[in-house]
Amino acid sequence: MSLKIKTKLRYGIGLLFAMIVLLGGISVKNISDMSADTRNILADNYNSLLYSRRMLDALERIDSDPSAQADFEKNLGLQKKNITEVDENVATSHLVAQYEQLAKERNEENIRRVRLALNQVMSLNMASIYRKSQVAESTSQKALFWIWGIGLSCMVVAFAFLIRFPRSINTPIRMLMDGIMEIANHNYEKRLDLAKYDEFEGVAKSFNRMAERLTEYRKSTLADIIQGKKYIEAIVNSITEPIIGLDRDRKILFANNEALTILNLKSASELSLRNDLLRRLVRELIQPSEKKEPLKIYADNKESYFQVQYIPIRVLENGEAEVYVGDVILLKNITEFKELDSAKTTFISTISHELKTPISAIMMSLKLLEDARVGAMNDEQKALAESIKESSNRLLEITSELLKMTQVETGKLQLNPKITKPIELIEYAIK
């Protein structure tokens, strides 16, 4: 009976893990031993050699440098505290005795004897360093042997695992991938038979059950989808305002009948960005202009005005975040309001012109009344005439302002700049 993939993975990875742990433990132990050997050499023998070297230098300067004797005695004291070898105590004691003899009687013979004693201490430590180096080299060779041996074993096991394990799962996975590709290509009749592969038998059953459900779903929902699409198209076409739908790449998805009418197209299949008006609408969507002026379109044998509104469309993805999927361009017909506004402007302009005629007649009559040849007026009549004149002037100013307002709305206002004193503007505003 063949082992299951899960069991193979457990045994293979477990063996590799155990061998890696063993390799790591042996490496750490041997490296620790080598480090300890190196520390012994540095701590025990290197310091003795250093002290001996300093004492030799001081011995060479003992006749010419007064501080040489103090340096010698300082390093000799340090050497007494750093006795680490078996015979080093005897050699150090001999060095102390020779130095005491030199301190009593300084001559060449005593200096030579001290130098020989120092050489004996140095030779002793050098021999110890060589012996410990041999031990460290032996430790490193042993560590290298074990690391190489276990490392090669790990490589062999890993290589065998790498070769054999993929073979055991490659065939069923390839069959499963082929089945998935068939489903992706809408071949819902595809079925898998993986009964001889224990782990993949359940996967094959789930795959076959999914394929059956997809077949049933395709048969049952295709008619519903078509019906729903027709229903949505009927709703969009029932809207009296032109509507154009774009996806996130600015490709046209749909347009209702009103939009086709203003675009001078017969069907939605003719929609293309080659249409000048449609290209202008998409350009305004990408690069909005600051002026939000109504769009003037000549369609259906008449001029119409539309207010363009761009509505971004976002949908919930996985029930969490909203994702941008496209835009809807809505053209609101404001032709009726534009015509009413034009009629209002025309009416005000006409009224302004019509009012100027009777006002001018009133002003002329007042001027005749003020003429002395018509007859003299008493003070009360003069006051009444002055009041009528002020009211007439006010009416004339109002009609002039109304006329200027209509000129502003039609864009026909002409400015006549002139030099004015600021005090005159202030007095006019106060008045």
Side-chain angles (χ1 to χ4, degrees), residues 7 25 36 40 45 73 87 94 129 134 143 164 168 171 187 192 233-234 253 272 322 329 337 369 373 397 405:
T7 306
N40 289 336
N45 306 111
E73 292 175 356
D87 298 330
H94 178 67
I129 288 175
Q134 294 293 106
R164 294 182 60 85
S168 63
T171 301
N187 181 16
L192 296 179
E233 289 177 351
L253 298 177
S272 172
E322 290 188 346
I329 302 176
F337 302 103
L369 285 174
R373 291 175 296 176
E397 290 177 1
M405 185 178 69

Side-chain angles (χ1 to χ4, degrees), residues 212-239:
E212 293 174 0
R213 295 286 180 85
L214 287 173
T215 303
E216 297 173 358
Y217 177 78
R218 185 179 185 183
K219 293 179 180 179
S220 62
T221 60
L222 185 58
D224 295 338
I225 292 173
I226 295 175
Q227 184 64 29
K229 181 175 179 294
K230 291 181 179 180
Y231 180 71
I232 293 174
E233 289 177 351
I235 292 176
V236 172
N237 286 323
S238 65
I239 299 175

Side-chain angles (χ1 to χ4, degrees), residues 59-335:
L59 188 64
E60 296 295 333
R61 297 182 286 107
I62 198 166
D63 290 331
S64 59
D65 188 357
S67 64
Q69 184 175 356
D71 292 341
F72 189 96
E73 292 175 356
K74 176 183 176 182
N75 286 278
L76 181 60
L78 293 173
Q79 172 59 26
K80 288 180 182 180
K81 299 177 182 178
N82 192 48
I83 297 173
T84 57
E85 303 300 327
V86 176
D87 298 330
E88 192 174 4
N89 189 18
V90 177
T92 303
S93 299
H94 178 67
L95 174 63
V96 171
Q98 295 299 326
Y99 177 71
E100 290 176 351
Q101 187 66 28
L102 176 63
K104 293 177 182 179
E105 183 180 357
R106 185 181 300 176
N107 54 42
E108 290 296 328
E109 181 63 22
N110 288 336
I111 291 175
R112 186 181 67 81
R113 290 177 180 178
V114 171
R115 186 179 292 110
L116 290 175
L118 282 171
N119 289 331
Q120 184 179 2
V121 173
M122 294 175 67
S123 299
L124 182 66
N125 281 278
M126 288 293 294
S128 178
I129 288 175
Y130 178 77
R131 185 176 63 257
K132 291 179 180 180
S133 298
Q134 294 293 106
V135 173
E137 183 178 358
S138 175
T139 302
S140 66
Q141 290 178 353
K142 183 173 65 175
L144 189 62
F145 171 78
W146 281 104
I147 290 173
W148 267 105
I150 298 177
L152 287 174
S153 301
C154 289
M155 292 173 62
V156 170
V157 173
F159 183 76
F161 186 73
L162 182 66
I163 295 299
R164 294 182 60 85
F165 179 71
R167 291 179 180 177
S168 63
I169 63 173
N170 184 45
T171 301
I173 288 179
R174 187 173 64 251
M175 295 173 63
L176 181 60
M177 290 179 62
D178 292 341
I180 292 173
M181 290 301 298
E182 291 291 334
I183 293 295
N185 293 327
H186 305 291
N187 181 16
Y188 301 134
E189 303 299 327
K190 178 67 177 179
R191 299 294 183 270
L192 296 179
D193 183 12
L194 301 175
K196 60 180 179 180
Y197 302 99
D198 296 337
E199 285 84 355
F200 290 93
E201 184 178 4
V203 176
K205 290 180 179 179
S206 299
F207 179 88
N208 295 335
R209 187 163 53 251
M210 177 194 69
E212 293 174 0
R213 295 286 180 85
L214 287 173
T215 303
E216 297 173 358
Y217 177 78
R218 185 179 185 183
K219 293 179 180 179
S220 62
T221 60
L222 185 58
D224 295 338
I225 292 173
I226 295 175
Q227 184 64 29
K229 181 175 179 294
K230 291 181 179 180
Y231 180 71
I232 293 174
E233 289 177 351
I235 292 176
V236 172
N237 286 323
S238 65
I239 299 175
T240 58
E241 303 290 350
I243 296 178
I244 302 171
L246 307 172
D247 64 6
R248 69 178 67 189
D249 298 322
R250 306 294 187 261
K251 294 182 179 178
I252 301 163
L253 298 177
F254 63 87
N256 65 352
N257 294 332
E258 290 294 329
L260 295 176
T261 300
I262 67 169
L263 292 173
N264 290 323
L265 299 175
K266 295 181 180 180
S267 63
S269 61
E270 298 180 18
L271 285 176
S272 172
L273 289 180
R274 291 191 297 269
N275 185 284
D276 293 337
L277 177 56
L278 187 56
R279 189 166 57 248
R280 175 183 174 184
L281 293 173
V282 174
R283 185 171 61 250
E284 288 289 334
L285 171 63
I286 298 173
Q287 298 177 345
S289 61
E290 296 180 358
K291 296 181 179 180
K292 301 296 182 180
E293 296 181 352
L295 186 64
K296 183 179 179 181
I297 300 175
Y298 186 83
D300 200 13
N301 298 323
K302 65 177 181 179
E303 286 186 351
S304 300
Y305 293 88
F306 294 89
Q307 189 70 44
V308 184
Q309 184 178 2
Y310 298 98
I311 306 173
I313 304 301
R314 293 179 174 85
V315 297
L316 286 176
E317 187 172 292
N318 299 326
E320 296 179 356
E322 290 188 346
V323 178
Y324 169 78
V325 295
D327 295 271
V328 169
I329 302 176
L330 177 62
L331 301 176
K332 188 175 181 180
N333 195 335
I334 59 171
T335 305

Side-chain angles (χ1 to χ4, degrees), residues 418-429:
K418 64 178 183 178
I419 298 175
T420 306
K421 296 180 180 179
I423 189 63
E424 294 179 356
L425 295 177
I426 295 172
E427 290 176 350
Y428 174 76

